[in-house]
Amino acid sequence: EFAVLCLTELKGEVESTRAVLIFLAQLVGWREVRLGDAKMAKLSQHANSIDNLLARFGENLTLCCLRALAGGAPQSTWPAYSDCLFCIMLQVITSAPSSVADPNSSLNAWLRAAMAEVTTRHVTQEITATVIRALLEMIAAEGAKSK
């Protein structure tokens, strides 16, 4: 919870924002990070807690990342924001593969809500739906390699 609050309150401080995003991306995407056996075992013990926190804060994190990528943050932080967003999407898709095809899934709802807030008059709902569908299908098909 503290990391999510830090991310929303840093308001553009580049190095601190980047550090929080790296932490969140690795925490959310811990299953894809190469760690020692002891660390993986420890994280596995807390997998449900991590997944519950993602379910609780995923919508806010998704919105925060998309706002930043739409120009609401310094360009130098965009790679960290995109990595964090990718880890969120990969984790949700990995734990619930049906979320890709289900337009009512939480991940689809998070992305639609975030895209609705950051889109301009040049981006229609049809374009938004196409972008979301393409992202989700690519991640579902290729997993971490799609990054």
Side-chain angles (χ1 to χ4, degrees), residues 40-122:
M40 287 301 282
K42 191 70 165 169
L43 285 168
S44 292
Q45 290 175 346
H46 298 285
N48 285 340
S49 296
I50 294 169
D51 292 344
N52 289 338
L53 287 171
L54 180 59
R56 184 172 169 195
F57 295 105
E59 183 173 11
N60 288 341
L61 285 171
T62 301
L63 177 58
C64 184
C65 290
L66 282 173
R67 270 188 198 143
L69 293 169
Q75 189 174 4
S76 60
T77 61
W78 290 359
Y81 276 108
S82 65
D83 283 348
C84 189
L85 180 60
F86 176 80
C87 287
I88 291 167
M89 293 170 60
L90 180 62
Q91 173 54 32
V92 173
I93 290 170
T94 302
S95 62
S98 63
S99 64
V100 173
D102 181 4
N104 298 315
S105 71
S106 60
L107 182 57
N108 269 288
W110 297 347
L111 291 168
R112 273 194 321 273
M115 291 289 287
E117 185 169 315
V118 300
T119 56
T120 66
R121 60 186 166 95
H122 301 290

